[in-house]
């Protein structure tokens, strides 16, 4: 295990260097090296290290992993680089950084930087259940979820599929099945509410579904 920074300043050569299975508490510094063959870091563990130049070191190591076709290592180093760059470049003391910081933290929490399939799947499920619950309240369903009518669940499912809930058929299903009708006319408040809930669910679901597809893609790319 390397506990301190391993520096390869101006290192050069045409041999093969392997650190397979090693563990680094701090990322080794290859930023100024000039090696003919990229070092190998298969199954190497890199701990997160917070330093002003850590993101540059992780970026260099990520390039080596890419050259070596080490997809798992490349993905892990991308996560470390993004996290290190966030700590170096973005500050909570600067209001102009707040949006990017929030999005960066959400990317880490919900997707683990594209490495997780379970996290975005759970996020999609939570989004679906919250939307169904709101549709149930609009439809006057105040009992247990398993007693809610099918149309409530259908409305929630339609808005998980991009643009399905906003299609003519999707709107008709939600309007007639959820909103109470008086003289064959639905309440304007109810109609506005189902469109609002559906639009929010649809946008959020698209983001989480994208992260889910990204996680699946990275999982099979690694395998």
């Amino acid at each position: 295990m390397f506990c301190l920074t391993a520096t390869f300043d101006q290192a050069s050569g045409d041999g093969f260097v392997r650190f397979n299975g090693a563990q680094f508490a701090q990322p080794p510094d290859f930023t100024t090296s000039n090696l003919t063959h990229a070092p190998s870091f298969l199954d190497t563990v890199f701990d997160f290290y917070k330093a002003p130049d850590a993101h540059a070191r992780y970026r260099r190591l990520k390039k080596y992993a890419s050259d070596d076709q080490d997809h798992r290592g490349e993905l892990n180093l991308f996560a470390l680089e993004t996290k290190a760059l966030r700590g170096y470049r973005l500050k909570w003391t600067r209001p102009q950084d707040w949006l990017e910081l929030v999005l960066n933290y959400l990317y880490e929490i919900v997707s683990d930087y594209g490495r997780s399939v379970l996290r975005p799947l759970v996020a999609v499920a939570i989004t679906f259940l919250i939307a169904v619950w709101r549709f149930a309240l609009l439809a006057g369903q105040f009992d247990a979820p398993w007693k809610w009518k099918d149309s409530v669940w259908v409305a929630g499912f339609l808005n998980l599929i991009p643009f399905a809930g906003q299609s003519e058929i999707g709107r008709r299903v939600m309007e007639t099945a959820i909103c109470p009708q008086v003289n064959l006319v639905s309440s304007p408040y109810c109609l506005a509410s189902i469109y609002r809930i559906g639009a929010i669910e649809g946008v959020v679901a698209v983001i989480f579904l994208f992260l889910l597809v990204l996680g699946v893609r990275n999982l099979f790319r690694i395998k």
Side-chain angles (χ1 to χ4, degrees):
M1 176 177 178
F2 294 83
C3 297
L4 300 176
T5 300
T7 302
F8 298 86
D9 188 28
Q10 302 295 329
S12 61
D14 58 358
F16 290 92
V17 182
R18 291 183 174 87
F19 296 93
N20 298 343
Q23 182 174 353
F24 290 88
Q26 301 178 17
D29 189 356
F30 285 90
T31 53
T32 60
S33 64
N34 185 24
L35 301 174
T36 304
H37 302 285
S40 176
F41 293 95
L42 291 174
D43 298 321
T44 298
V45 176
F46 296 100
D47 297 334
F48 177 68
Y49 179 63
K50 189 175 181 180
D53 64 339
H55 63 282
R57 299 188 205 173
Y58 288 128
R59 185 181 301 118
R60 183 74 169 194
L61 294 169
K62 183 183 69 176
K63 183 179 183 305
Y64 288 149
S66 177
D67 293 342
D68 204 25
Q69 297 296 306
D70 178 12
H71 301 308
R72 182 185 296 276
E74 183 182 358
L75 198 60
N76 291 337
L77 287 163
F78 165 76
L80 291 169
E81 178 196 352
T82 304
K83 191 174 181 179
L85 186 61
R86 179 182 67 199
Y88 169 70
R89 190 169 61 85
L90 303 176
K91 306 296 180 185
W92 287 110
T93 55
R94 295 197 298 260
Q96 63 268 29
D97 291 344
W98 289 354
L99 177 60
E100 191 171 352
L101 275 165
V102 169
L103 293 175
N104 197 296
Y105 275 108
L106 285 176
Y107 185 34
E108 179 182 6
I109 294 169
V110 177
S111 178
D112 193 22
Y113 298 109
R115 294 179 294 182
S116 176
V117 173
L118 180 61
R119 292 188 191 185
L121 184 62
V122 170
V124 169
I126 292 174
T127 302
F128 169 73
L129 291 175
I130 292 175
V132 169
W133 170 66
R134 291 294 294 126
F135 284 132
L137 293 181
L138 281 176
Q141 304 286 299
F142 302 106
D143 45 9
W146 52 87
K147 295 183 179 179
W148 293 345
K149 54 186 182 181
D150 293 342
S151 57
V152 169
W153 296 97
V154 171
F157 179 73
L158 280 174
N159 288 288
L160 281 182
I161 304 172
F163 309 112
Q166 303 304 316
S167 67
E168 183 178 353
I169 296 177
R171 292 199 305 270
R172 187 180 302 117
V173 168
M174 292 190 293
E175 290 172 6
T176 58
I178 294 178
C179 292
Q181 293 187 327
V182 179
N183 296 327
L184 301 179
V185 178
S186 298
S187 163
Y189 168 78
C190 183
L191 292 175
S193 296
I194 62 173
Y195 293 150
R196 182 171 59 250
I197 296 168
I200 294 174
E201 182 191 5
V203 171
V204 174
V206 164
I207 296 172
F208 291 151
L209 287 172
F210 169 78
L211 294 176
L212 176 62
V213 171
L214 179 65
V216 171
R217 176 257 188 192
N218 287 332
L219 177 65
F220 282 98
R221 186 184 178 204
I222 289 172
K223 290 184 176 182

